[in-house]
Coordinates of all heavy atoms in Angstrom, one line a residue:
S428 N -73.6 -99.2 8.3 CA -72.5 -100.2 8.0 C -72.2 -100.3 6.5 O -71.1 -100.6 6.1 CB -72.9 -101.6 8.4 OG -73.7 -101.7 9.5
I429 N -73.2 -100.1 5.7 CA -73.0 -100.1 4.2 C -72.0 -99.0 3.8 O -71.1 -99.2 3.1 CB -74.3 -100.0 3.4 CG1 -75.2 -101.2 3.7 CG2 -74.1 -99.8 1.9 CD1 -76.6 -101.1 3.1
V430 N -72.3 -97.8 4.4 CA -71.5 -96.6 4.1 C -70.0 -96.9 4.6 O -69.1 -96.6 3.9 CB -72.1 -95.3 4.7 CG1 -71.1 -94.2 4.7 CG2 -73.4 -95.0 4.0
K431 N -69.9 -97.4 5.8 CA -68.6 -97.7 6.4 C -67.8 -98.6 5.5 O -66.6 -98.4 5.2 CB -68.8 -98.4 7.8 CG -68.4 -97.6 8.9 CD -68.3 -98.4 10.2 CE -68.9 -97.7 11.3 NZ -69.2 -98.6 12.5
K432 N -68.5 -99.7 5.0 CA -67.8 -100.7 4.1 C -67.4 -100.0 2.8 O -66.3 -100.3 2.4 CB -68.8 -101.8 3.9 CG -68.1 -103.1 3.4 CD -68.9 -104.3 3.6 CE -68.2 -105.5 3.2 NZ -68.9 -106.7 3.6
L433 N -68.3 -99.2 2.2 CA -67.9 -98.5 1.0 C -66.7 -97.7 1.2 O -65.8 -97.7 0.4 CB -69.1 -97.7 0.5 CG -70.2 -98.5 -0.2 CD1 -71.4 -97.6 -0.5 CD2 -69.7 -99.1 -1.5
R434 N -66.7 -96.9 2.3 CA -65.5 -96.1 2.6 C -64.2 -96.9 2.7 O -63.2 -96.5 2.2 CB -65.7 -95.4 4.0 CG -66.7 -94.3 3.9 CD -66.2 -93.1 4.6 NE -67.1 -92.0 4.3 CZ -67.5 -91.1 5.2 NH1 -67.1 -91.1 6.4 NH2 -68.4 -90.1 4.8
R435 N -64.4 -98.0 3.5 CA -63.2 -98.9 3.7 C -62.6 -99.3 2.4 O -61.4 -99.4 2.2 CB -63.7 -100.0 4.5 CG -62.5 -100.8 5.2 CD -63.0 -101.5 6.5 NE -64.4 -102.0 6.4 CZ -64.7 -103.3 6.2 NH1 -63.7 -104.2 6.2 NH2 -65.9 -103.7 6.1
H436 N -63.5 -99.5 1.4 CA -63.0 -100.0 0.1 C -62.7 -98.9 -0.9 O -62.4 -99.1 -2.0 CB -63.9 -101.0 -0.5 CG -64.0 -102.3 0.3 ND1 -63.0 -103.3 0.3 CD2 -64.9 -102.8 1.2 CE1 -63.4 -104.3 1.1 NE2 -64.5 -104.0 1.7
G437 N -62.9 -97.6 -0.4 CA -62.6 -96.4 -1.2 C -63.6 -96.1 -2.2 O -63.3 -95.4 -3.2
Y438 N -64.9 -96.5 -2.0 CA -65.9 -96.1 -2.9 C -66.8 -95.0 -2.4 O -67.0 -94.9 -1.1 CB -66.8 -97.3 -3.2 CG -66.1 -98.4 -3.9 CD1 -66.0 -99.6 -3.3 CD2 -65.6 -98.3 -5.2 CE1 -65.3 -100.7 -3.9 CE2 -65.0 -99.3 -5.8 CZ -64.8 -100.5 -5.2 OH -64.2 -101.6 -5.8
E439 N -67.3 -94.2 -3.2 CA -68.3 -93.1 -2.9 C -69.6 -93.8 -2.4 O -70.0 -94.8 -2.9 CB -68.6 -92.3 -4.1 CG -68.3 -90.8 -4.0 CD -69.0 -90.1 -5.2 OE1 -68.7 -90.5 -6.3 OE2 -69.7 -89.2 -4.9
N444 N -73.1 -97.9 -6.1 CA -71.9 -98.6 -5.6 C -72.3 -99.6 -4.5 O -71.7 -100.7 -4.5 CB -71.0 -97.5 -5.0 CG -70.2 -96.8 -6.0 OD1 -70.1 -97.2 -7.2 ND2 -69.5 -95.7 -5.6
Y448 N -71.0 -103.2 -5.1 CA -69.8 -103.6 -4.3 C -70.1 -104.2 -2.9 O -69.2 -104.9 -2.4 CB -68.8 -102.4 -4.1 CG -68.3 -101.9 -5.5 CD1 -68.6 -100.6 -5.9 CD2 -67.5 -102.7 -6.3 CE1 -68.2 -100.2 -7.1 CE2 -67.1 -102.3 -7.5 CZ -67.4 -101.0 -7.9 OH -66.9 -100.5 -9.1
V449 N -71.2 -104.0 -2.3 CA -71.5 -104.6 -1.0 C -72.3 -105.9 -1.2 O -73.5 -105.8 -1.5 CB -72.2 -103.6 -0.1 CG1 -72.4 -104.2 1.3 CG2 -71.4 -102.3 0.0
N450 N -71.6 -107.0 -1.0 CA -72.2 -108.3 -1.3 C -73.1 -108.8 -0.1 O -73.9 -109.7 -0.3 CB -71.1 -109.3 -1.5 CG -70.4 -109.1 -2.8 OD1 -71.0 -108.5 -3.8 ND2 -69.2 -109.4 -2.9
D451 N -73.0 -108.2 1.0 CA -73.8 -108.7 2.2 C -74.9 -107.7 2.7 O -75.1 -107.7 3.9 CB -72.9 -109.2 3.3 CG -72.0 -108.0 3.9 OD1 -72.0 -107.0 3.2 OD2 -71.5 -108.2 5.0

Side-chain angles (χ1 to χ4, degrees):
S428 327
I429 294 172
V430 169
K431 249 193 223 163
K432 197 160 187 172
L433 282 173
R434 285 227 171 138
R435 196 151 40 103
H436 294 284
Y438 297 114
E439 240 194 304
N444 282 348
Y448 299 115
V449 184
N450 291 330
D451 61 343

